[in-house]
Amino acid sequence: MLKANVDLQQDYDSVLAEILEKTHPVTEKEWLPLNRLVGRILAEDVLSPLDLPSYRQSAMDGYGIAAGETVGRQKVVTTISAGDKPGTVTIEPGQAVRIMTGAAVPAGIDYVIPQEQARIQEDSGVTWLLLKGDVPKRNHIKAIGSDVSEGQCVLKAGHCLRPQDIGLLASIGLTTVNVFKRVRVVVLTSGNELARPGESLQTGQVYDANAFLITSLCEALDVDVLAQITLPDEAEAVKKTFDDWQDQADVILTVGGASVGEKDFVASVIRSLPNHRRWKLKMKPAKPFSMAMMNDCMILALPGNPVAAFMSFQVLAKPVLKKRSGRRDWSGNVMSYPLKTGLDNRQQPLRWLPVRVVGEELVPLKPLSGGDLAGLSASDGFVRFESGREYAAGDEVQFWRI
């Protein structure tokens, strides 16, 4: 049960930990074919049903010889290509085979001499391999199961499937795997000033950038956005939308109306729910944040300024959606980069600031105003700058690429 109170000036890390502790993965699963798996989350471990390779396999184009045949001339009696059956080839003493990468290595062959290292002689239509007696340092033969062994766990539950993972699944002969169903999300923006792109702007109106910004961020996580709804500043409209979608959505993301203004009706509706929590975080931007539960539906309330909404999604909502999706990794692709120029954050709270990548270094940009989407678009990512610290050029910082 969430506490129905307000905590002011809360630490970001402790708030995120509390939110994630109350976040549970979806439970519904489905079996999907390989061509529908990119971005999906595995619901169970995948064990290989076979060895890879399943036969002794040549790792090079070259010539196969027996262990005792390292001196003199070896007659090349046949060529073995990938897909040929090795049981049809019999090797006698003094003989070698021409063999291609991926081909099955027949019994009696212990080494493959790479083509570029082989000395070949043609004599009256016969090909001879000339050997000096040096034992090859590597046999260039892949043993059965040297890549993947039968019964090996190749991918763990909670893994987000990438193209290379799907190639791996195909290589072990699987056609379907069990994944979590997509998290179902509703994006709700509110404000009397909002107009849809394409409409004529009236005095006092702005285009609803947040609806498309947050929806696009959701779609990049491969969640299922059920609806994108823009509401007026009316408490009843907000409450009805929550009631209408609570049994269909896993997460409702609200943008705007989440602070303490006279027309912040999203905040007032959330406060009226018996199971809610709201914070004022000690950070810039994205200071206000609220959450509530309606049955199994999570409501996450982001601030209305586009830059703050973007950052609130990145550092709070995104980890929640990842965990809700069944993923094991929630922190995102955080990298360490050096700063090209310093930054004084001694008199500031924790700040998330946009940066540009210049060569192998980061250049902090000026703090963006609440609606500066052009500045946000010009950045390559953002950095976490800790409160009370002065950063010098060359200092390593945490960098999130966007």
Side-chain angles (χ1 to χ4, degrees), residues 28-170:
E28 292 181 290
K29 305 169 185 177
E30 58 185 339
W31 290 85
L32 290 181
L34 299 182
N35 60 357
R36 294 178 56 197
L37 289 177
V38 174
R40 300 305 295 267
I41 312 301
L42 279 175
E44 59 185 37
D45 292 350
V46 176
L47 308 182
S48 176
L50 48 76
D51 292 314
L52 280 184
S54 57
Y55 52 87
R56 295 173 69 235
Q57 186 182 80
S58 176
M60 306 284 286
D61 288 346
Y63 295 85
I65 62 172
E69 305 286 345
T70 60
V71 179
R73 296 200 312 174
Q74 304 293 315
K75 183 179 180 180
V76 180
V77 295
T78 190
T79 297
I80 305 173
S81 299
D84 292 347
K85 295 181 179 179
T88 61
V89 178
T90 302
I91 305 300
E92 302 292 339
Q95 294 181 340
V97 297
R98 178 87 168 94
I99 194 165
M100 304 302 174
T101 302
V105 177
I109 296 297
D110 301 299
Y111 296 100
V112 172
I113 299 175
Q115 179 173 300
E116 58 270 22
Q117 298 175 14
R119 296 172 62 232
I120 301 299
Q121 182 183 73
E122 299 291 341
D123 187 359
S124 301
V126 177
T127 301
W128 298 89
L129 175 66
L130 306 182
L131 302 171
K132 291 184 175 181
D134 296 332
V135 177
K137 293 181 180 179
R138 298 176 58 188
N139 68 0
H140 299 294
I141 297 174
K142 297 178 70 172
I144 293 172
S146 57
D147 289 340
V148 175
S149 58
E150 182 179 352
Q152 177 183 335
C153 179
V154 294
L155 294 169
K156 288 188 171 295
H159 180 70
C160 181
L161 290 166
R162 306 162 297 170
Q164 56 266 46
D165 302 320
I166 295 165
L168 171 61
L169 295 172

Side-chain angles (χ1 to χ4, degrees), residues 181-202:
K181 286 193 173 182
R182 285 191 177 101
V183 171
R184 300 163 300 175
V185 176
V186 170
V187 176
L188 169 62
T189 55
S190 64
N192 292 336
E193 76 280 10
L194 299 179
R196 299 286 288 183
E199 296 177 351
S200 296
L201 281 181
Q202 305 300 314

Side-chain angles (χ1 to χ4, degrees), residues 254-266:
T254 72
V255 192
S259 191
V260 292
E262 183 178 327
K263 296 216 171 188
D264 285 333
F265 292 114
V266 169

Side-chain angles (χ1 to χ4, degrees), residues 149-282:
S149 58
E150 182 179 352
Q152 177 183 335
C153 179
V154 294
L155 294 169
K156 288 188 171 295
H159 180 70
C160 181
L161 290 166
R162 306 162 297 170
Q164 56 266 46
D165 302 320
I166 295 165
L168 171 61
L169 295 172
S171 75
I172 59 176
L174 299 184
T175 59
T176 61
V177 292
N178 197 12
V179 297
F180 289 107
K181 286 193 173 182
R182 285 191 177 101
V183 171
R184 300 163 300 175
V185 176
V186 170
V187 176
L188 169 62
T189 55
S190 64
N192 292 336
E193 76 280 10
L194 299 179
R196 299 286 288 183
E199 296 177 351
S200 296
L201 281 181
Q202 305 300 314
T203 301
Q205 286 189 314
V206 297
Y207 286 123
D208 188 2
N210 280 333
F212 295 90
L213 171 66
I214 301 304
T215 297
S216 298
L217 288 168
C218 288
E219 290 172 342
L221 291 177
D222 200 42
V223 302
D224 188 5
V225 179
L226 301 180
Q228 182 192 83
I229 303 169
T230 302
L231 293 177
D233 287 322
E234 297 174 4
E236 284 303 314
V238 175
K239 180 64 168 65
K240 183 178 186 303
T241 302
F242 286 174
D243 290 339
D244 289 345
W245 286 100
Q246 63 171 311
D247 294 325
Q248 301 177 60
D250 300 302
V251 177
I252 296 175
L253 287 173
T254 72
V255 192
S259 191
V260 292
E262 183 178 327
K263 296 216 171 188
D264 285 333
F265 292 114
V266 169
S268 65
V269 172
I270 286 179
R271 286 196 300 270
S272 72
L273 300 175
N275 202 6
H276 79 272
R277 195 86 157 91
R278 56 195 180 100
W279 302 269
K280 188 176 182 181
L281 293 152
K282 293 187 290 186

Side-chain angles (χ1 to χ4, degrees), residues 6-19:
V6 180
D7 286 338
L8 296 180
Q9 298 299 306
Q10 289 294 290
D11 171 71
Y12 160 74
D13 293 295
S14 62
V15 169
L16 177 61
E18 180 180 348
I19 295 169

